[in-house]
Amino acid sequence: MARPKPAAKPRSTRLTHTVDDFEAAFWPDESPVDNAVVMTMGALHEGHAALIRAARRKVGKDGRVAVTVFVNPLQFGAGEDLDRYPRTLAADLRVAEESGADVVFAPLPEEVYPNGEPQVRLTAGPMGERFEGAARPGHFDGVLTVVAKLLHITDPDYAFFGEKDAQQLAVVQRMVADLDFDVEVVGVPTVREEDGLALSSRNRYLDGGEREQALALSRALFAGRDAAAQGPAAIRAAAGEVLAGAPGVELDYLALIDPHDFTEAPDGFQGEAVLAVAGRVGSTRLIDNVRLIVR
């Protein structure tokens, strides 16, 4: 009679705080295996877990997956929620471990910026000045500066980013292409609650009534997507109609965007596009988007 196979042991995830400790944990030997990184600011939820699982599938059981947890001060502007941003490292480590990460790199700011605030930074250029960049000047410069540093530290074959932050994904992909980073940037579809609300660390700031009001954002996007076969004007009209009748939503922008350069798609546009929305519900600013094919 064959003996039963022992249950597979859960993957043990090592927590590191310094570059030296990370490199020792992530590169324990010279074995040639694929590796991937998922960059986060912590407060991990199912959306982040989906990124980690996608990374694990890509590199296989013998590959290595790193998760970075770093609240990057460079991407927060004046009056934004740097101090308020949730820091839940113990819970983050559990999510990372359950999702298949090998190492979590959670450095302090002085580890990432040992010489203080960097004097030389990357710029996102025109792509970083529109939409989210217009609402948050300098935000994407801070994003690209830290992403570049973390790519150098982790040296991955693949870097996974969520499509929910569509403009961030676009500028990172453009940076990698323009500056010849040897990494493949992989976008992972947005994870949503059953009612359609996109998962976000900022959702925790919404009370019950505000959360219900926030659903207008995803409803508008779905309405626009349903009108995709009728062209850009119909997409904008369908989404705008939902938002026009939505109480409690202070709209920042609703835009149909060409994902290649993040410019507004003209009326005759055809092909893949991003329908993006941003607005405030109560004191919380939320963003969301859907990808669609304009006919």
Side-chain angles (χ1 to χ4, degrees):
M1 183 175 181
R3 294 182 180 180
K5 294 181 179 179
K9 293 182 179 180
R11 187 176 297 272
S12 177
T13 301
R14 181 169 171 182
L15 175 62
T16 61
H17 297 287
T18 69
V19 172
D20 287 345
D21 285 348
F22 169 80
E23 290 178 345
F26 199 54
W27 303 106
D29 52 50
E30 296 298 321
S31 56
V33 298
D34 286 344
N35 60 90
V37 65
V38 176
M39 298 183 190
T40 82
M41 292 208 301
L44 301 190
H45 50 63
E46 179 56 28
H48 299 103
L51 294 174
I52 300 167
R53 291 194 295 267
R56 173 53 60 196
R57 289 192 298 270
K58 184 69 174 179
V59 303
K61 64 181 180 64
D62 296 324
R64 302 188 185 111
V65 176
V67 175
T68 66
V69 176
F70 179 60
V71 182
N72 176 33
L74 297 190
Q75 64 196 73
F76 287 81
E80 292 190 332
D81 53 357
L82 173 61
D83 293 334
R84 186 186 177 202
Y85 197 88
R87 290 157 170 85
T88 57
L89 185 57
D92 294 344
L93 185 61
R94 289 194 296 272
V95 172
E97 189 165 61
E98 291 167 359
S99 304
D102 295 290
V103 181
V104 169
F105 178 46
L108 293 172
E110 51 264 35
E111 183 71 17
V112 178
Y113 305 118
N115 299 313
E117 190 169 303
Q119 299 300 297
V120 176
R121 308 184 188 190
L122 288 175
T123 175
M127 284 183 69
E129 297 170 357
R130 309 176 186 114
F131 306 113
E132 284 304 290
R136 306 175 68 187
H139 169 71
F140 288 115
D141 296 352
V143 169
L144 293 186
T145 299
V146 77
V147 167
K149 293 204 69 163
L150 291 173
L151 286 176
H152 287 313
I153 291 169
T154 58
D155 192 22
D157 298 301
Y158 308 99
F160 286 74
F161 292 86
E163 291 181 354
K164 176 182 172 292
D165 295 301
Q167 192 168 3
Q168 173 179 275
L169 174 60
V171 296
V172 169
Q173 288 174 323
R174 190 59 182 259
M175 176 192 75
V176 165
D178 286 354
L179 301 183
D180 297 319
F181 278 78
D182 187 17
V183 62
E184 180 180 337
V185 177
V186 182
V188 177
T190 301
V191 178
R192 299 183 180 277
E193 301 281 5
E194 289 185 7
D195 57 12
L197 185 68
L199 290 183
S200 169
S201 301
R202 289 191 168 93
N203 289 351
R204 68 185 64 200
Y205 302 145
L206 301 170
D207 63 29
E210 290 170 344
R211 192 187 183 288
E212 183 65 27
Q213 292 169 340
L215 293 176
L217 300 178
S218 56
R219 285 200 302 266
L221 296 177
F222 299 155
R225 184 177 59 189
D226 290 344
Q230 301 170 52
I235 293 168
R236 295 185 180 99
E241 184 177 356
V242 174
L243 292 169
V249 176
E250 182 183 343
L251 185 65
D252 190 344
Y253 62 79
L254 170 69
L256 184 66
I257 297 166
D258 183 339
H260 298 100
D261 58 6
F262 246 73
T263 56
E264 185 89 32
D267 285 344
F269 181 89
Q270 291 185 325
E272 182 182 2
V274 173
L275 181 61
V277 66
R280 288 191 177 275
V281 179
S283 61
T284 304
R285 189 173 185 275
L286 300 172
I287 63 172
D288 198 357
N289 73 87
V290 294
R291 292 175 181 263
L292 43 79
I293 302 297
V294 184
R295 304 296 183 187

